Amino acid sequence: MPDLLSAVWTSLGGAADELTRLRITGPPAVLRSTFPVTAVGAAAVGASLLAATRGVPVAVDTRALGVALRSERHLRLDGRTVGSPFDPLSAFHRTSDGWLRLHANYPWHRAAALRVLDCTEDDVPAAIADRGALELESALHAAGGVGAAVRTEEVWRATAGPPPPLVERRVLGDAPPRPARRPRVLDLTRVIAGPVATRTLAAHGADVLRLDASDRPEIPLQAYDTLPGKRSALLDLATHGRVLEELLAGADVVVSGYRPGALDRFGLAPAELARRHPGLVVVTLSAWGHEGPWAHRRGFDSIVQAACGIAHAEGTGGVPGALPAQLLDHATGYLAAAGALLALGEQRRGGGTHHVRLALAGTAAWLQSLPRETPEAIPDIDPAPHLVDLAAPAGRLTLAAPPGAVAGTPLTWPAPAPSYGTAAARWFGTADR
């Protein structure tokens, strides 16, 4: 397994002498891919473990890691599956001149796709086959939908320009150091990358409150999978500005997972947060980065894979393929958690309002920059030793355990168990931990 952690840890701002605390065990590869998926996942999770601890050994087992990187596949409610996060239309489709990856998992994106294609669900493949991939990609974006033409890496670089860095760190303004306490994290994320980041912060002891709009419900499987250890509340940011402001005033970290600028109208632009709430740690995640021709497009892991050349590289026989896990989401999430924790430590030691910025496209470019090899057959992992059961309001949830151990003790999911939209939109208590 290549040693990727050193460069990642440096980009996050970690001290080099901390690296010796991490031990990685297990097979060097547990997921079959052209890319070093296991090594990338281990580096991202290892960084989050180092960032969350001081002076104690931490460890990652690649078998547990392989289960965690595909956590959504292992979720069960009372022993039964909770459906798939992927709509049947969310797939690779042949176009008149190539391939297009469509995303229709959320009802509003699905509706936009059907409007653009002007057909019924059964006729979608034929409708796509009559159109060019680039033309359809643009039409979907203009209509509020999501899709990407399958490109090679070379074509993508010519289209999008230089990729965003893996991690960007900056100080937005002066602020005195805040006293140490149990971190309060305001979670303004959805899908996978951001929720994995905040799920990881919860696993390391943070008080995490996730907010969602009542008219944009999360896919149930994704909610169950990413809510352990968090409280989940429904709040209309447009009509509950006072409540939002109270939450921001009480928060230590704000994590946002929307397109750049999408939340600015609610006073959530990083610079505006620094002005009103100096001393916050602001973490922003996006699909394509904060600048460039695609910055304000919608995007998801599968869409980024298609556009940037990963789907082409993973394909066989002229048919595009996909990574064995939604690695761009999961790795970006663990890196975001590490960045948040390191920035929080810097704030408490020296002050300032810190901003950490990541993008799925940056993680994709990092992955593509690493040595590749012909994928070999890899035995399936037995997930059972790496799954846990939680009693939740909806029933008995089976979830992937959080990957990693601290001082020899495996991480566990703290309370509360996942319960979407049932919490009050407020902080509880002020006691230090």
Side-chain angles (χ1 to χ4, degrees):
M1 178 184 297
D3 179 13
L4 306 180
L5 180 62
S6 179
V8 170
W9 186 240
T10 299
S11 71
L12 289 164
D17 59 2
E18 295 285 319
L19 292 170
T20 58
R21 293 195 291 115
L22 175 67
R23 181 172 177 243
I24 299 175
T25 60
V30 294
L31 297 171
R32 186 177 188 270
S33 175
T34 303
F35 298 92
V37 168
T38 304
V40 165
V45 171
S48 70
L49 289 164
L50 290 172
T53 56
R54 295 289 181 272
V56 297
V58 294
V60 180
D61 183 89
T62 58
R63 289 157 292 211
L65 172 71
V67 174
L69 292 178
R70 304 201 289 186
S71 58
E72 60 276 2
R73 301 190 187 192
H74 299 289
L75 186 136
R76 299 291 184 271
L77 177 61
D78 292 330
R80 300 185 299 274
T81 61
V82 191
S84 169
F86 283 97
D87 184 90
L89 299 183
S90 295
F92 292 108
H93 298 270
R94 284 190 181 274
T95 65
S96 63
D97 54 1
W99 291 88
L100 178 111
R101 178 80 192 221
L102 185 64
H103 191 282
N105 296 352
Y106 289 104
W108 46 95
H109 294 151
R110 191 175 192 276
L114 293 176
R115 286 197 305 272
V116 168
L117 296 169
D118 191 25
C119 68
T120 65
E121 178 181 342
D122 291 341
D123 294 330
V124 164
I128 292 178
D130 284 340
R131 299 176 68 165
L134 296 178
E135 177 269 324
L136 190 50
E137 174 187 85
S138 296
L140 287 165
H141 170 65
V146 188
V150 175
R151 296 168 169 82
T152 65
E153 184 177 352
E154 293 72 23
V155 171
W156 172 243
R157 288 274 68 86
T159 300
L166 180 61
V167 182
E168 295 178 272
R169 299 178 294 117
R170 58 182 186 153
V171 178
L172 297 174
D174 296 330
R178 294 187 176 189
R181 67 174 180 186
R182 181 189 184 191
R184 291 174 172 176
V185 178
L186 190 60
D187 180 356
L188 304 174
T189 72
R190 57 191 300 117
V191 198
I192 296 178
V196 164
T198 51
R199 179 180 74 180
T200 303
L201 295 174
H204 288 292
D207 177 12
V208 180
L209 176 63
R210 171 169 163 167
L211 300 182
D212 283 279
S214 58
D215 64 340
R216 287 289 189 267
E218 183 58 280
I219 296 168
L221 183 148
Q222 289 178 174
Y224 289 133
D225 183 48
T226 60
L227 281 179
K230 309 179 192 179
R231 292 178 293 119
S232 166
L234 301 180
L235 189 75
D236 184 343
L237 301 185
T239 59
H240 290 83
R242 180 183 62 79
V243 176
L244 175 62
E245 200 64 16
E246 290 173 355
L247 292 172
L248 291 168
D252 299 296
V253 180
V254 176
V255 184
S256 168
Y258 291 78
R259 288 175 293 154
L263 300 182
D264 289 4
R265 66 187 186 277
F266 305 117
L268 292 167
E272 181 62 17
L273 287 174
R275 184 187 68 79
R276 297 200 320 277
H277 301 286
L280 269 178
V281 170
V282 182
V283 181
T284 54
L285 302 94
S286 63
W288 310 105
H290 71 284
E291 58 185 13
W294 281 51
H296 297 289
R297 290 202 178 200
R298 300 164 190 85
F300 300 91
D301 184 306
S302 60
I303 298 301
V304 176
Q305 287 190 45
C308 76
I310 290 175
H312 179 267
E314 289 283 76
T316 56
V319 178
L323 295 171
Q326 295 193 72
L327 181 72
L328 307 184
D329 270 331
H330 284 269
T332 303
Y334 288 112
L335 292 173
L341 290 164
L342 288 170
L344 188 62
E346 289 183 28
Q347 204 291 324
R348 288 174 172 175
R349 289 189 299 272
T353 302
H354 295 257
H355 183 201
V356 181
R357 189 159 50 196
L358 306 95
L360 302 187
T363 304
W366 171 44
L367 180 66
Q368 290 172 300
S369 73
L370 302 173
R372 306 178 199 178
E373 57 187 36
T374 302
E376 298 178 355
I378 294 174
D380 290 336
I381 304 166
D382 176 11
H386 313 295
L387 302 177
V388 296
D389 286 341
L390 297 179
R396 178 175 56 85
L397 282 173
T398 300
L399 300 168
V406 176
T409 301
L411 291 177
T412 58
W413 294 123
S419 182
Y420 181 76
T422 59
R426 62 186 179 91
W427 300 115
F428 293 119
T430 58
D432 290 351
R433 183 190 247 191

